[in-house]
């Protein structure tokens, strides 16, 4: 019986280099915001939750005392280990595991950062509870992810093309869902900002090695949607489009 975690591991097999070299994942104005938060802590211990290709870890290494790059994919973690060694980032170590069950003691980290990972998790609610548990009092949690929509038409389209491209996709949550759940699990919201992510269609599907038939299905959906959907996601003639993203910075009382 294949679980969601099994599916995630299967989907990200043999894709670590693509995520390392992805401009979408390696670049972003949010990194400077994260670094600013990190530098407010002395000798900070940081958890890079769902680290993927490790870009948060590489960007934050100079601003904190130590980092655990944590991911479900052993292949991704092997890449992060190799990259940390090549870059001389000796304060990064890796650990395998799932977001819903963190193998760390209560109050282990000053900062938890998760970027482009939460939409793959089996249970965002369980993961938020775990993040709150492992954070120290006054610790910071930062989430950055693609946003779903409260508009059913917009949301259905986004979730459909995401899952056709990558069957391990679970959900791009709306801002209202994020805010409701982080408050429920005891976080104080410090900063909420929306950004836009321009996605080159060819690079987007190649990164995940999406099969040709699935690519054709996505393109057909893009061509048949209403003008409301096309305009909102700024769908271009080559399939490239723009997604809203969220920078959410919180603290633990």
């Amino acid at each position: 019986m294949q679980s969601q975690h099994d599916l995630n591991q299967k989907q990200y097999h043999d894709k670590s280099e693509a995520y390392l070299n992805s401009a979408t994942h390696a670049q972003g104005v949010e990194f400077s915001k994260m670094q600013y938060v990190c530098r407010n802590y002395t000798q900070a211990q940081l958890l890079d939750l769902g680290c993927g290709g490790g870009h948060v870890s590489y960007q934050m290494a100079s601003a904190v005392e130590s980092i655990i790059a944590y991911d479900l994919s052993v292949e991704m973690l092997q890449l992060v280990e190799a990259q940390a060694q090549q870059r001389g980032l000796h304060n990064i170590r890796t650990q395998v595991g799932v977001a819903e069950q963190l193998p760390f003691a209560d109050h282990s980290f000053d900062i938890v950062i998760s970027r482009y990972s939460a939409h793959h998790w089996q249970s965002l609610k369980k993961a938020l509870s775990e993040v709150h548990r492992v954070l120290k009092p006054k610790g910071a949690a930062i989430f950055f992810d693609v946003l779903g929509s409260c508009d059913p038409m917009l949301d259905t389209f986004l979730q459909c093309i995401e899952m056709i491209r990558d069957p391990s996709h679970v959900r791009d949550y709306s801002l209202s869902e994020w805010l409701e759940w982080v408050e429920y699990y005891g976080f104080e919201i410090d900063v909420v900002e929306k950004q836009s992510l321009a996605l080159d269609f060819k690079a987007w599907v190649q990164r995940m090695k999406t099969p040709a038939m699935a690519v054709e299905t996505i393109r057909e959906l893009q061509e048949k949607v209403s003008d409301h959907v096309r305009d909102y996601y700024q769908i271009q003639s080559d399939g490239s489009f723009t997604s809203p993203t969220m920078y959410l910075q919180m603290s633990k009382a």
Side-chain angles (χ1 to χ4, degrees):
M1 183 175 179
Q2 180 172 245
S3 70
Q4 183 65 34
H5 294 146
D6 294 333
L7 181 57
N8 285 339
Q9 291 190 64
K10 180 180 179 180
Q11 282 298 110
Y12 283 86
H13 173 68
D14 197 29
K15 297 179 179 71
S16 58
E17 289 289 339
Y19 277 81
L20 174 67
N21 297 318
S22 164
T24 296
H25 293 79
Q27 302 169 12
V29 297
E30 64 275 9
F31 284 130
S32 62
K33 302 172 189 177
M34 295 172 180
Q35 288 169 344
Y36 180 81
V37 173
C38 289
R39 291 194 172 102
N40 287 330
Y41 291 83
T42 303
Q43 296 182 323
Q45 316 296 310
L46 185 149
L47 175 63
D48 181 1
L49 180 56
C51 65
H55 296 293
V56 167
S57 292
Y58 313 143
Q59 293 276 354
M60 300 304 121
S62 64
V64 299
E65 179 73 14
S66 67
I67 296 173
I68 294 181
Y70 183 85
D71 203 276
L72 181 61
S73 169
V74 172
E75 184 178 326
M76 288 289 189
L77 295 179
Q78 290 172 340
L79 173 77
V80 174
E81 289 178 358
Q83 284 293 311
Q85 184 175 5
Q86 289 178 25
R87 300 175 190 218
L89 305 176
H90 304 299
N91 59 340
I92 297 173
R93 65 183 181 90
T94 63
Q95 187 159 342
V96 67
V98 300
E100 298 85 357
Q101 189 173 0
L102 300 178
F104 308 112
D106 296 357
H107 312 148
S108 294
F109 299 97
D110 299 283
I111 305 159
V112 176
I113 298 178
S114 183
R115 180 174 179 264
Y116 290 133
S117 179
H119 59 273
H120 288 292
W121 297 347
Q122 185 170 299
S123 172
L124 177 60
K125 293 180 180 180
K126 288 181 180 179
L128 287 172
S129 177
E130 282 289 270
V131 169
H132 190 273
R133 179 183 65 79
V134 302
L135 266 181
K136 297 177 183 179
K138 306 300 182 183
I142 301 172
F143 286 85
F144 188 88
D145 211 348
V146 173
L147 275 180
S149 176
C150 292
D151 181 322
M153 190 184 306
L154 298 175
D155 195 59
T156 297
F157 171 76
L158 180 63
Q159 309 299 343
C160 282
I161 65 169
E162 287 266 43
M163 194 166 193
I164 293 168
R165 169 187 176 256
D166 173 11
S168 72
H169 173 77
V170 175
R171 180 164 182 79
D172 295 319
Y173 297 94
S174 69
L175 183 58
S176 61
E177 288 173 315
W178 273 105
L179 298 182
E180 176 185 354
W181 293 340
V182 299
E183 289 183 334
Y184 177 83
Y185 286 102
F187 294 97
E188 294 182 357
I189 299 171
D190 300 319
V191 179
V192 182
E193 295 178 352
K194 285 187 177 181
Q195 296 176 198
S196 294
L197 175 66
L199 289 164
D200 177 84
F201 184 81
K202 184 177 180 180
W204 184 63
V205 294
Q206 284 183 344
R207 185 162 57 247
M208 187 46 63
K209 298 184 178 179
T210 305
M213 184 177 296
V215 173
E216 291 175 8
T217 301
I218 295 170
R219 293 294 288 121
E220 185 175 4
L221 283 172
Q222 288 180 322
E223 291 169 3
K224 289 184 176 180
V225 293
S226 67
D227 288 343
H228 174 52
V229 174
R230 183 174 293 104
D231 293 344
Y232 183 84
Y233 290 108
Q234 301 175 41
I235 301 171
Q236 307 301 308
S237 60
D238 67 347
S240 298
F241 64 100
T242 299
S243 282
T245 55
M246 170 203 70
Y247 176 88
L248 179 58
Q249 180 182 317
M250 307 170 291
S251 55
K252 178 178 176 178

